[in-house]
Amino acid sequence: MSPDANAHTSKSRAGAVSSLRFGYGTNGLADLRLDDALALLSDLGYDGVGLTLDHMHLDPLAPDLAARTRRVAHRLDELGLGVTVETGARYVLDPRRKHGPSLLDPDPDDRARRVGLLVRAVRVAADLGAHAVHCFSGVVPQGTDTDTAWKRLTETLSPVLDAAASAGIALAVEPEPGHLLATLADFHHLRSALGDPEPLGLTLDIGHCQCLEPLSPADCVRAAAPWLRHVQIEDMRRGVHEHLPFGDGEIDFPPVLAALAATGYQGLTVVELPRHSHAGPHFAAHSLPFLRHAERTAATASPASAPPRRHAAPPHGAPSTTHEGSSTR
């Protein structure tokens, strides 16, 4: 399946061509078998899926990964779904450490395990025809200084970027509240430290922009546009890293979707509700109509002429230096 097979050609079930392609993350459908989740998303009218490699969904560590990946690729083709591969599974490498080990762990063997998972994810993404592979830095381990953490991150990402370049897949790093790489500014620090490699791109989580970025979410989209390879979307409140269903937070979505459409972004915009699997089908059914309505509203609104809007500092401390960020994934 070609990575761009569905770009700008997908249609809603009503038949209208949409400029944006919406997906739903399987980490919000963890109680469903993968095939059932894909069928649900297709029936609901989604354009694609954010596929988190995990023990219940295309386990990256179980035997016969290549054969299982081929079956999933065939199913995606049957259903007409695009895909982005995500690597934020909580316990896929270590049943006792959430998101462990990370790219920042003191033990080089542990760091190598995370690198191995990401390289394997790149291969899976290539076999699925995915648009990108998502990843994040991890939390700075206790007792590790920031300079050492950045050095480890650049060193560990290098072989992953080499694999991505060979496979022709973008590696889309996500700024994650509570992690070393928490903001857009941190992404640019990494990009500079690595020498701006061609495969390195950005995952922009719209809720995270609301949570802690100085710019509004719509302005973050415009600022991130040249590096944008993957988008995650949900509602959120300022200073609180909690992924919320649409309408439960503070984000004004029509300007965000208008900004995305204006950039010419062709990847998936994936709903990210990892703590709502208990009612995943319900939230999947309600999220797409909300986004389509917001998209139509954006299309009929007058272009905004206001200068970029900057947020005040988050009122609940600094999410970029707390563990709250990793507790909601």
Side-chain angles (χ1 to χ4, degrees):
M1 182 171 58
S2 167
D4 297 321
N6 295 320
H8 291 292
T9 62
S10 60
K11 297 184 179 181
S12 70
R13 293 305 183 257
V17 176
S18 170
S19 63
L20 295 177
R21 302 168 60 222
F22 294 113
Y24 200 93
T26 58
N27 61 358
L29 297 169
D31 293 327
L32 275 67
R33 297 178 183 88
L34 179 56
D35 192 66
D36 291 339
L38 297 179
L40 171 72
L41 298 182
S42 177
D43 288 346
L44 291 174
Y46 281 92
D47 302 298
V49 59
L51 175 58
T52 296
L53 303 182
D54 207 345
H55 63 88
M56 79 295 283
H57 292 154
L58 196 54
D59 187 341
L61 303 182
D64 301 320
L65 178 60
R68 290 184 288 114
T69 300
R70 285 194 295 272
R71 289 194 291 271
V72 173
H74 179 69
R75 187 60 173 149
L76 291 168
D77 276 333
E78 283 184 332
L79 297 172
L81 293 173
V83 60
T84 302
V85 171
E86 303 198 354
T87 61
R90 293 182 177 96
Y91 296 102
V92 69
L93 287 177
D94 189 328
R96 293 174 176 81
R97 286 193 295 162
K98 185 177 181 180
H99 294 151
S102 80
L103 296 171
L104 309 179
D105 270 30
D107 187 334
D109 290 337
D110 278 348
R111 297 199 298 273
R113 290 174 62 204
R114 177 61 61 173
V115 169
L117 175 66
L118 294 180
V119 170
R120 185 169 292 203
V122 168
R123 297 192 191 111
V124 168
D127 290 343
L128 293 178
H131 183 71
V133 171
H134 147 279
C135 70
F136 44 58
S137 68
V139 175
V140 178
Q142 187 173 6
T144 299
D145 64 86
T146 302
D147 288 344
T148 298
W150 279 111
K151 183 174 184 291
R152 287 176 186 165
L153 183 60
T154 56
E155 289 176 349
T156 52
L157 278 181
S158 293
V160 185
L161 287 164
D162 289 344
S166 297
I169 297 289
L171 184 70
V173 179
E174 179 187 8
E176 179 76 20
H179 287 207
L180 173 68
L181 197 155
T183 65
L184 287 173
D186 293 332
F187 168 75
H188 290 301
H189 177 81
L190 174 68
R191 190 169 61 84
S192 176
L194 287 168
D196 202 12
E198 193 277 332
L200 180 65
L202 174 70
T203 293
L204 188 69
D205 187 303
I206 301 303
H208 296 172
C209 297
Q210 176 68 23
C211 180
L212 55 73
E213 293 286 353
L215 294 175
S216 72
D219 287 327
C220 286
V221 169
R222 286 184 277 269
W227 303 277
L228 202 54
R229 302 294 180 266
H230 182 44
V231 175
Q232 297 171 344
I233 193 165
E234 69 286 314
D235 218 339
M236 204 168 286
R237 301 186 184 101
R238 185 69 176 158
V240 182
H241 184 200
E242 181 182 3
H243 290 231
L244 300 172
F246 298 114
D248 287 1
E250 302 168 342
I251 298 175
D252 183 12
F253 285 96
V256 174
L257 299 184
L260 268 177
T263 67
Y265 171 69
Q266 295 186 7
L268 290 171
T269 298
V270 173
V271 179
E272 182 82 354
L273 292 174
R275 287 197 166 187
H276 291 76
S277 283
H278 65 283
H282 167 83
F283 287 107
H286 285 76
S287 295
L288 186 58
F290 179 96
L291 290 169
R292 292 294 185 211
H293 176 74
E295 186 182 29
R296 291 192 297 271
T297 301
T300 58
S302 300
S305 58
R309 178 166 60 86
R310 292 188 173 270
H311 286 302
H316 299 284
S320 61
T321 59
T322 70
H323 289 281
E324 174 67 19
S326 61
S327 70
T328 61
R329 297 288 305 231

